[in-house]
């Protein structure tokens, strides 16, 4: 069954091109613009920053795999066929989530590899940074699974998660600079799990462990809350 | 006994009565038709048998065990053909068959052999590596059925398996359902609102309406119940409701209804009613007159006062 789910996900060629190719293309375009504007720009640092922004945003878009799979298996006529099979329905839920997470994890590895190889970016404490990003992937996919269980429609969940991804990165000032004041400073650090990942990554890379662990703790707490809610609410789906 | 339901009651949202003291049995190797209009309770009955829904009261036994919905061994012995086509459109038919085979515990050479056999049975061997999204409606339906046959279930439940397909595909499906029951000694529950299908393949039939079993028996036994009636259809050029009222008031006419340009009349056996009918309808310009053989539609009409397909009655 696990192999089948991999097959189901892997056959979505267009989705893979978008998820794996689009962030790298956008990074490339962004870097071309930056290098044209300022030929002396720190390519590695700039590419790494843009790479992180797209990783954080696209991990939410990657959650589409999770909730489209869950929608098909639990909120369409497939539900009866799968529930009639000699397999506990919870396994369909778990495999959907696991493969969605794997795709997003693969995506972040592709982006990081691209900025390292293409722009000589250096990632300090890269192992921990990747681990924090993977924690973010786990949070986002669990959050997406909670959304589909609540909303029961993938297109509604997609709208919600898109708003979260774009809104979360924008109000954190990741796309364009926000006016400097206490509110924007607060938003850029604490407004969403996207910024918690961000301050944690920045902290680990700069050896600022107070920020690193603060962001990670907030992310872990959010993951725990979302997971508890998801486990409770998904019981009625898999019953 | 493969399936036994006794006094089953099922309500939705605590109110809508979907099954009302529902009794139902299926023996090994027989094809049992469950016939009723849309919303009669056929799918609810199937869900109770498969264990997808709890029932409010009554007994549901399957393979001699109480159905509680959680027994995986019982599920392994059932093949469910869902009313909607539930195959993965972007995977090939071969991959779909492999998946459903694996889901039911088949592995290795056994799985490959069964995929080959089922592909042959459903007539898709030559197009096995195409995605179902390229198939016709009938081919998708056949694949949908094939996915439920791989593990050679002792009980196959087919919920309206021919909805929305062409007559050729329908005949193909009916033929192989008959063949399946004959050759593999499999019990089959076949639900439909197409009378001719149920009549053609069923050893026994249950007629269901509003959650009640209103009649059961072989096709012959059921038709025997209404054998005494004359069934006359008269096509006219200019039908009207007044004539229908006049016909309904005739002595010996049990029922009369108007369907487009056709008057359908049920009268007592042997009653000299035809002359009176022709006299009443002559001004409307009679085009055709038929006395026809009773079928399950007539049984349903007689017992409920409704037609199976549109619920229209008089």
């Amino acid at each position: 069954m696990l192999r089948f789910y991999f097959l189901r996900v892997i056959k979505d060629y267009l989705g893979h091109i978008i998820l794996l190719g689009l962030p790298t293309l956008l990074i490339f375009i962004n870097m071309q613009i930056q290098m044209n504007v300022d030929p002396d720009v720190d390519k590695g640092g700039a590419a790494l920053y843009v790479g992180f922004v797209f990783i954080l945003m696209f991990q939410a878009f990657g959650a589409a795999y999770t909730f489209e799979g869950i929608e098909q298996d639990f909120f369409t006529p497939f539900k009866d066929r799968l529930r009639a099979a000699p397999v506990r329905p919870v396994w369909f839920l778990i495999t959907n989530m696991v493969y969605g997470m794997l795709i997003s994890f693969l995506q972040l590895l592709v982006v990081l590899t691209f900025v390292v190889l293409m722009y000589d970016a250096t990632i300090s404490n890269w192992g921990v940074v990747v681990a924090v990003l993977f924690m973010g992937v786990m949070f986002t996919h669990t959050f997406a699974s909670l959304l589909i269980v609540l909303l029961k429609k993938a297109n509604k969940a997609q709208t919600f998660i898109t708003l979260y991804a774009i809104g979360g990165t924008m109000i954190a000032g990741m796309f364009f600079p926000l006016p400097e004041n206490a509110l924007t400073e607060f938003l850029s650090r604490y407004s969403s799990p996207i910024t918690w990942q961000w301050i944690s990554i920045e902290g680990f890379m700069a050896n600022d462990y107070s920020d690193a662990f603060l962001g990670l703790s907030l992310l872990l707490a959010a993951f725990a809350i979302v997971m508890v809610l998801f486990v409770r609410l998904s019981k009625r789906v898999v019953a | 006994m493969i399936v036994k339901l006794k006094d089953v009651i099922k309500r939705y949202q605590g109110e809508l009565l979907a099954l009302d003291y529902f009794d139902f049995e299926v023996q090994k190797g027989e094809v049992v038709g469950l016939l009723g209009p849309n919303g009669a309770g056929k799918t609810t009955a199937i869900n109770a048998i498969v264990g997808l829904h709890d029932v409010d009261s009554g007994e549901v036994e399957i393979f001699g065990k109480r159905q509680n919905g959680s027994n995986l061994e019982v599920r392994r012995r059932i093949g469910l053909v869902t009313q909607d086509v539930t195959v993965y459109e972007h995977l090939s038919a071969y991959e779909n068959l492999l998946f459903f085979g694996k889901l039911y515990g088949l592995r290795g050479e056994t799985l490959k052999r069964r995929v080959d056999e089922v592909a042959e049975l459903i007539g898709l061997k030559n197009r096995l590596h195409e995605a179902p999204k390229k198939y016709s409606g009938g081919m998708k339906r056949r694949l949908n059925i094939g996915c439920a046959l791989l593990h050679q279930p002792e009980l196959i439940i087919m919920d309206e398996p021919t909805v929305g397909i062409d007559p050729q595909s329908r005949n193909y499906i009916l033929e192989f359902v008959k063949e399946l029951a004959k050759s593999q000694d499999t019990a089959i529950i076949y639900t439909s609102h197409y009378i001719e299908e149920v009549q053609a393949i069923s050893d026994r039939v249950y007629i269901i309406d509003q959650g009640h079993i209103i009649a059961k028996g072989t096709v012959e036994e059921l038709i025997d119940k209404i054998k005494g009636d004359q069934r006359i259809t008269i096509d006219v050029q200019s039908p009207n409701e007044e004539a229908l009222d006049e016909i309904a008031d005739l002595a010996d006419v049990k029922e009369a209804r108007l369907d487009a340009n056709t008057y359908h009349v049920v009268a007592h056996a042997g009653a000299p009613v035809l002359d009176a009918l022709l006299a009443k309808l002559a001004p409307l310009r009679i085009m055709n007159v038929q006395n026809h053989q009773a079928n399950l539609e007539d049984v349903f009409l007689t017992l409920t006062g409704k037609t199976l397909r549109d619920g229209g009655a008089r």
Side-chain angles (χ1 to χ4, degrees):
Chain A
M1 196 171 85
L2 292 172
R3 274 197 307 188
F4 167 77
Y5 270 85
F6 188 64
L7 180 70
R8 191 168 77 168
V9 174
I10 210 92
K11 280 220 159 184
D12 179 12
Y13 303 119
L14 183 64
H16 282 82
I17 291 168
I18 292 171
L19 278 179
L20 301 179
L22 190 59
T24 48
L25 179 68
L26 291 175
I27 292 166
F28 178 76
I29 293 169
N30 189 291
M31 287 306 296
Q32 289 302 113
I33 294 168
Q34 287 200 49
M35 287 188 290
N36 277 340
V37 173
D38 177 8
D40 298 326
V41 68
D42 167 18
K43 281 194 298 184
L48 194 58
Y49 177 83
V50 177
F52 281 137
V53 171
F54 283 121
I55 285 171
L56 294 175
M57 196 167 69
F58 272 76
Q59 69 182 205
F61 297 148
Y65 275 119
T66 298
F67 53 58
E68 279 174 7
I70 293 176
E71 182 192 46
Q72 183 170 38
D73 290 350
F74 290 94
F75 299 106
T76 69
F78 271 83
K79 180 179 83 168
D80 286 346
R81 176 156 240 164
L82 296 178
R83 283 178 67 217
V87 176
R88 299 275 174 225
V90 69
W91 283 106
F92 297 115
L93 204 59
I94 290 170
T95 46
N96 270 307
M97 290 176 71
V98 166
Y99 279 115
M101 287 175 191
L102 281 178
I103 291 297
S104 282
F105 183 58
L106 184 65
Q107 180 193 51
L108 77 88
L109 291 182
V110 167
V111 170
L112 291 181
T113 306
F114 176 74
V115 295
V116 167
L117 295 180
M118 185 85 183
Y119 299 105
D120 293 327
T122 308
I123 308 170
S124 309
N125 283 327
W126 69 269
V128 191
V129 168
V130 169
V132 172
L133 288 171
F134 185 58
M135 188 68 230
V137 166
M138 287 171 61
F139 165 81
T140 309
H141 282 258
T142 312
F143 180 54
S145 305
L146 177 65
L147 281 178
I148 189 69
V149 166
L150 284 171
L151 302 173
K152 299 181 175 66
K153 292 276 181 201
N155 56 358
K156 287 184 188 172
Q158 180 74 63
T159 305
F160 201 98
I161 206 97
T162 303
L163 287 174
Y164 162 76
I166 296 176
T169 43
M170 272 188 178
I171 63 170
M174 290 177 179
F175 272 135
F176 42 80
L178 296 173
E180 286 187 19
N181 58 44
L183 177 64
T184 54
E185 168 67 13
F186 179 83
L187 291 175
S188 70
R189 288 177 62 81
Y190 306 113
S191 57
S192 74
I194 292 174
T195 58
W196 304 339
Q197 284 179 74
W198 181 243
I199 61 173
S200 181
I201 293 163
E202 275 196 322
F204 279 116
M205 288 201 305
N207 294 323
D208 174 359
Y209 292 109
S210 62
D211 259 7
F213 284 110
L214 175 65
L216 186 58
S217 304
L218 288 169
L219 188 61
L220 284 170
F223 174 68
I225 291 167
V226 167
M227 183 53 96
V228 168
L229 283 173
F230 174 67
V231 168
R232 287 181 73 111
L233 291 172
S234 64
K235 275 182 183 165
R236 65 184 180 194
V237 174
V238 299
Chain B
M1 187 81 69
I2 300 284
V3 175
K4 184 181 176 189
L5 273 69
K6 177 88 179 139
D7 294 335
V8 170
I9 294 176
K10 172 69 185 174
R11 290 175 195 277
Y12 287 115
Q13 276 96 41
E15 287 182 11
L16 180 69
L17 196 56
L19 295 177
D20 187 11
Y21 289 98
F22 193 88
D23 291 344
F24 182 77
E25 289 178 0
V26 181
Q27 306 280 355
K28 188 175 181 182
E30 68 173 345
V31 181
V32 175
L34 192 52
L35 181 67
N38 291 329
K42 303 187 296 289
T43 301
T44 305
I46 282 174
N47 287 342
I49 293 165
V50 179
L52 298 178
H53 287 170
D54 290 333
V55 297
D56 296 319
S57 66
E59 294 167 25
V60 181
E61 273 186 20
I62 182 154
F63 306 117
K65 293 174 185 164
R66 192 173 156 270
Q67 175 60 282
N68 60 11
S70 62
N71 189 331
L72 298 187
E73 199 43 52
V74 165
R75 288 192 210 168
R76 206 182 298 278
R77 297 164 73 182
I78 302 173
L80 176 65
V81 179
T82 49
Q83 190 170 343
D84 296 282
V85 174
T86 47
V87 296
Y88 293 100
E89 294 265 337
H90 62 289
L91 300 182
S92 69
Y94 179 75
E95 288 162 344
N96 270 287
L97 290 171
L98 277 185
F99 169 64
F100 284 104
K102 280 182 184 173
L103 214 53
Y104 281 83
L106 301 181
R107 296 287 183 273
E109 283 306 308
T110 311
L111 177 60
K112 283 183 185 160
R113 180 177 51 78
R114 282 300 296 154
V115 167
D116 278 348
E117 288 170 359
V118 168
E120 184 80 50
L121 185 69
I122 58 178
L124 292 177
K125 199 156 189 175
N126 294 331
R127 298 186 61 181
L128 201 54
H129 293 281
E130 288 179 31
K133 61 186 171 190
K134 295 178 185 164
Y135 283 1
S136 67
M139 291 165 78
K140 283 184 192 176
R141 284 271 166 201
R142 281 186 266 153
L143 178 61
N144 195 43
I145 294 171
C147 291
L149 305 180
L150 286 152
H151 58 294
Q152 295 178 292
E154 293 161 63
L155 169 66
I156 298 170
I157 299 174
M158 298 179 149
D159 191 4
E160 308 255 13
T162 60
V163 168
I165 60 171
D166 58 280
Q168 198 182 353
S169 290
R170 175 174 297 162
N171 288 339
Y172 191 100
I173 289 171
L174 292 179
E175 283 306 314
F176 90 65
V177 169
K178 277 196 268 188
E179 190 57 37
L180 197 68
K182 211 186 301 174
S183 63
Q184 299 186 9
D185 214 16
T186 309
I188 297 175
I189 300 173
Y190 191 99
T191 85
S192 182
H193 60 278
Y194 295 120
I195 294 138
E196 59 276 20
E197 288 184 6
V198 173
Q199 196 159 329
I201 65 167
S202 304
D203 297 313
R204 286 192 304 120
V205 178
Y206 285 74
I207 299 181
I208 173 175
D209 186 38
Q210 296 179 339
H212 289 286
I213 300 285
I214 57 171
K216 63 181 178 181
T218 63
V219 172
E220 294 73 25
E221 285 168 352
L222 290 170
I223 291 172
D224 260 357
K225 289 187 179 182
I226 58 159
K227 206 174 186 178
D229 293 334
Q230 289 185 73
R231 295 179 178 275
I232 303 159
T233 57
I234 303 171
D235 298 335
V236 299
Q237 203 168 52
S238 316
N240 64 50
E241 288 288 329
E242 290 77 21
L244 181 66
D245 291 337
E246 287 176 23
I247 290 170
D249 290 340
L250 286 173
D252 292 318
V253 169
K254 290 171 74 176
E255 287 174 31
R257 67 188 167 88
L258 176 59
D259 183 8
N261 281 29
T262 305
Y263 289 92
H264 299 265
V265 180
V266 180
H268 291 296
V273 73
L274 190 57
D275 286 347
L277 284 173
L278 296 176
K280 292 277 183 204
L281 296 178
L284 310 183
R285 301 191 68 183
I286 294 169
M287 310 297 290
N288 188 26
V289 180
Q290 274 188 340
N291 241 328
H292 70 103
Q293 292 283 321
N295 63 19
L296 291 179
E297 172 83 57
D298 301 313
V299 176
F300 190 82
L301 182 65
T302 305
L303 294 174
T304 66
K306 294 188 290 188
T307 58
L308 262 166
R309 302 215 177 152
D310 57 24
R314 181 185 160 91

